[in-house]
PDB file of all heavy atoms in Angstrom:
ATOM      1  N   ASP A  72     -10.826  13.915   9.619  1.00 94.00           N
ATOM      2  CA  ASP A  72      -9.530  13.657  10.097  1.00 94.00           C
ATOM      3  C   ASP A  72      -9.463  12.247  10.748  1.00 94.00           C
ATOM      4  O   ASP A  72      -8.475  11.469  10.537  1.00 94.00           O
ATOM      5  CB  ASP A  72      -8.998  14.674  11.102  1.00 94.00           C
ATOM      6  CG  ASP A  72      -8.777  16.005  10.457  1.00 94.00           C
ATOM      7  OD1 ASP A  72      -8.635  16.105   9.224  1.00 94.00           O
ATOM      8  OD2 ASP A  72      -8.696  16.975  11.285  1.00 94.00           O
ATOM      9  N   LEU A  73     -10.510  11.890  11.527  1.00 91.00           N
ATOM     10  CA  LEU A  73     -10.568  10.591  12.134  1.00 91.00           C
ATOM     11  C   LEU A  73     -10.639   9.494  11.111  1.00 91.00           C
ATOM     12  O   LEU A  73     -10.009   8.461  11.226  1.00 91.00           O
ATOM     13  CB  LEU A  73     -11.741  10.547  13.119  1.00 91.00           C
ATOM     14  CG  LEU A  73     -11.918   9.161  13.869  1.00 91.00           C
ATOM     15  CD1 LEU A  73     -10.718   8.902  14.733  1.00 91.00           C
ATOM     16  CD2 LEU A  73     -13.185   9.238  14.704  1.00 91.00           C
ATOM     17  N   GLU A  74     -11.467   9.739  10.072  1.00 91.00           N
ATOM     18  CA  GLU A  74     -11.580   8.732   9.043  1.00 91.00           C
ATOM     19  C   GLU A  74     -10.243   8.525   8.306  1.00 91.00           C
ATOM     20  O   GLU A  74      -9.878   7.422   8.039  1.00 91.00           O
ATOM     21  CB  GLU A  74     -12.639   9.240   7.998  1.00 91.00           C
ATOM     22  CG  GLU A  74     -12.818   8.266   6.784  1.00 91.00           C
ATOM     23  CD  GLU A  74     -13.724   8.885   5.709  1.00 91.00           C
ATOM     24  OE1 GLU A  74     -14.066  10.069   5.765  1.00 91.00           O
ATOM     25  OE2 GLU A  74     -14.139   8.094   4.864  1.00 91.00           O
ATOM     26  N   MET A  75      -9.507   9.605   8.113  1.00 92.00           N
ATOM     27  CA  MET A  75      -8.247   9.537   7.469  1.00 92.00           C
ATOM     28  C   MET A  75      -7.244   8.644   8.335  1.00 92.00           C
ATOM     29  O   MET A  75      -6.504   7.866   7.814  1.00 92.00           O
ATOM     30  CB  MET A  75      -7.633  10.876   7.145  1.00 92.00           C
ATOM     31  CG  MET A  75      -6.284  10.915   6.465  1.00 92.00           C
ATOM     32  SD  MET A  75      -5.546  12.478   6.391  1.00 92.00           S
ATOM     33  CE  MET A  75      -5.335  12.861   8.023  1.00 92.00           C
ATOM     34  N   LEU A  76      -7.322   8.917   9.610  1.00 89.00           N
ATOM     35  CA  LEU A  76      -6.417   8.197  10.512  1.00 89.00           C
ATOM     36  C   LEU A  76      -6.728   6.710  10.645  1.00 89.00           C
ATOM     37  O   LEU A  76      -5.926   5.813  10.722  1.00 89.00           O
ATOM     38  CB  LEU A  76      -6.447   8.817  11.896  1.00 89.00           C
ATOM     39  CG  LEU A  76      -5.754  10.144  12.024  1.00 89.00           C
ATOM     40  CD1 LEU A  76      -6.193  10.836  13.315  1.00 89.00           C
ATOM     41  CD2 LEU A  76      -4.259   9.985  11.943  1.00 89.00           C
ATOM     42  N   VAL A  77      -8.061   6.359  10.571  1.00 87.00           N
ATOM     43  CA  VAL A  77      -8.536   5.063  10.747  1.00 87.00           C
ATOM     44  C   VAL A  77      -8.361   4.199   9.436  1.00 87.00           C
ATOM     45  O   VAL A  77      -8.300   2.933   9.507  1.00 87.00           O
ATOM     46  CB  VAL A  77     -10.024   5.000  11.147  1.00 87.00           C
ATOM     47  CG1 VAL A  77     -10.649   3.658  11.155  1.00 87.00           C
ATOM     48  CG2 VAL A  77     -10.165   5.611  12.535  1.00 87.00           C
ATOM     49  N   GLU A  78      -8.096   4.879   8.304  1.00 87.00           N
ATOM     50  CA  GLU A  78      -7.850   4.086   7.069  1.00 87.00           C
ATOM     51  C   GLU A  78      -6.616   3.240   7.273  1.00 87.00           C
ATOM     52  O   GLU A  78      -6.589   2.218   6.576  1.00 87.00           O
ATOM     53  CB  GLU A  78      -7.679   5.073   5.938  1.00 87.00           C
ATOM     54  CG  GLU A  78      -8.966   5.648   5.466  1.00 87.00           C
ATOM     55  CD  GLU A  78      -8.785   6.677   4.320  1.00 87.00           C
ATOM     56  OE1 GLU A  78      -7.687   7.025   3.980  1.00 87.00           O
ATOM     57  OE2 GLU A  78      -9.865   7.142   3.873  1.00 87.00           O
ATOM     58  N   ASN A  79      -5.686   3.601   8.099  1.00 86.00           N
ATOM     59  CA  ASN A  79      -4.601   2.744   8.361  1.00 86.00           C
ATOM     60  C   ASN A  79      -5.017   1.633   9.291  1.00 86.00           C
ATOM     61  O   ASN A  79      -5.575   1.893  10.361  1.00 86.00           O
ATOM     62  CB  ASN A  79      -3.422   3.584   8.987  1.00 86.00           C
ATOM     63  CG  ASN A  79      -2.136   2.786   9.252  1.00 86.00           C
ATOM     64  OD1 ASN A  79      -2.202   1.553   9.270  1.00 86.00           O
ATOM     65  ND2 ASN A  79      -1.098   3.452   9.507  1.00 86.00           N
ATOM     66  N   ILE A  80      -4.855   0.443   8.921  1.00 80.00           N
ATOM     67  CA  ILE A  80      -5.371  -0.718   9.682  1.00 80.00           C
ATOM     68  C   ILE A  80      -4.825  -0.788  11.114  1.00 80.00           C
ATOM     69  O   ILE A  80      -5.510  -1.172  12.020  1.00 80.00           O
ATOM     70  CB  ILE A  80      -5.134  -2.072   8.954  1.00 80.00           C
ATOM     71  CG1 ILE A  80      -5.934  -3.156   9.564  1.00 80.00           C
ATOM     72  CG2 ILE A  80      -3.642  -2.434   8.878  1.00 80.00           C
ATOM     73  CD1 ILE A  80      -7.432  -3.059   9.484  1.00 80.00           C
ATOM     74  N   ASP A  81      -3.557  -0.364  11.242  1.00 82.00           N
ATOM     75  CA  ASP A  81      -2.980  -0.305  12.596  1.00 82.00           C
ATOM     76  C   ASP A  81      -3.726   0.653  13.461  1.00 82.00           C
ATOM     77  O   ASP A  81      -3.944   0.386  14.662  1.00 82.00           O
ATOM     78  CB  ASP A  81      -1.487   0.099  12.528  1.00 82.00           C
ATOM     79  CG  ASP A  81      -0.653  -1.050  11.913  1.00 82.00           C
ATOM     80  OD1 ASP A  81      -1.104  -2.191  11.966  1.00 82.00           O
ATOM     81  OD2 ASP A  81       0.350  -0.701  11.337  1.00 82.00           O
ATOM     82  N   ASN A  82      -4.088   1.790  12.969  1.00 80.00           N
ATOM     83  CA  ASN A  82      -4.822   2.803  13.759  1.00 80.00           C
ATOM     84  C   ASN A  82      -6.268   2.273  13.956  1.00 80.00           C
ATOM     85  O   ASN A  82      -6.818   2.585  15.026  1.00 80.00           O
ATOM     86  CB  ASN A  82      -4.871   4.112  13.016  1.00 80.00           C
ATOM     87  CG  ASN A  82      -3.487   4.775  13.007  1.00 80.00           C
ATOM     88  OD1 ASN A  82      -2.630   4.489  13.765  1.00 80.00           O
ATOM     89  ND2 ASN A  82      -3.274   5.686  12.041  1.00 80.00           N
ATOM     90  N   ALA A  83      -6.879   1.621  13.045  1.00 83.00           N
ATOM     91  CA  ALA A  83      -8.189   1.120  13.186  1.00 83.00           C
ATOM     92  C   ALA A  83      -8.291   0.115  14.319  1.00 83.00           C
ATOM     93  O   ALA A  83      -9.245   0.076  15.042  1.00 83.00           O
ATOM     94  CB  ALA A  83      -8.703   0.491  11.822  1.00 83.00           C
ATOM     95  N   SER A  84      -7.202  -0.682  14.465  1.00 86.00           N
ATOM     96  CA  SER A  84      -7.230  -1.646  15.556  1.00 86.00           C
ATOM     97  C   SER A  84      -7.075  -0.970  16.950  1.00 86.00           C
ATOM     98  O   SER A  84      -7.285  -1.592  18.029  1.00 86.00           O
ATOM     99  CB  SER A  84      -6.142  -2.703  15.352  1.00 86.00           C
ATOM    100  OG  SER A  84      -4.864  -2.074  15.397  1.00 86.00           O
ATOM    101  N   ASN A  85      -6.708   0.318  16.981  1.00 82.00           N
ATOM    102  CA  ASN A  85      -6.588   0.991  18.212  1.00 82.00           C
ATOM    103  C   ASN A  85      -7.853   1.678  18.704  1.00 82.00           C
ATOM    104  O   ASN A  85      -7.949   2.235  19.779  1.00 82.00           O
ATOM    105  CB  ASN A  85      -5.497   2.183  18.062  1.00 82.00           C
ATOM    106  CG  ASN A  85      -4.100   1.591  18.031  1.00 82.00           C
ATOM    107  OD1 ASN A  85      -3.853   0.479  18.530  1.00 82.00           O
ATOM    108  ND2 ASN A  85      -3.171   2.351  17.561  1.00 82.00           N
TER     109      ASN A  85
END
Side-chain angles (χ1 to χ4, degrees):
D72 292 344
L73 181 62
E74 178 185 13
M75 181 187 65
L76 289 165
V77 171
E78 285 177 356
N79 182 343
I80 191 67
D81 292 333
N82 293 338
S84 64
N85 286 339

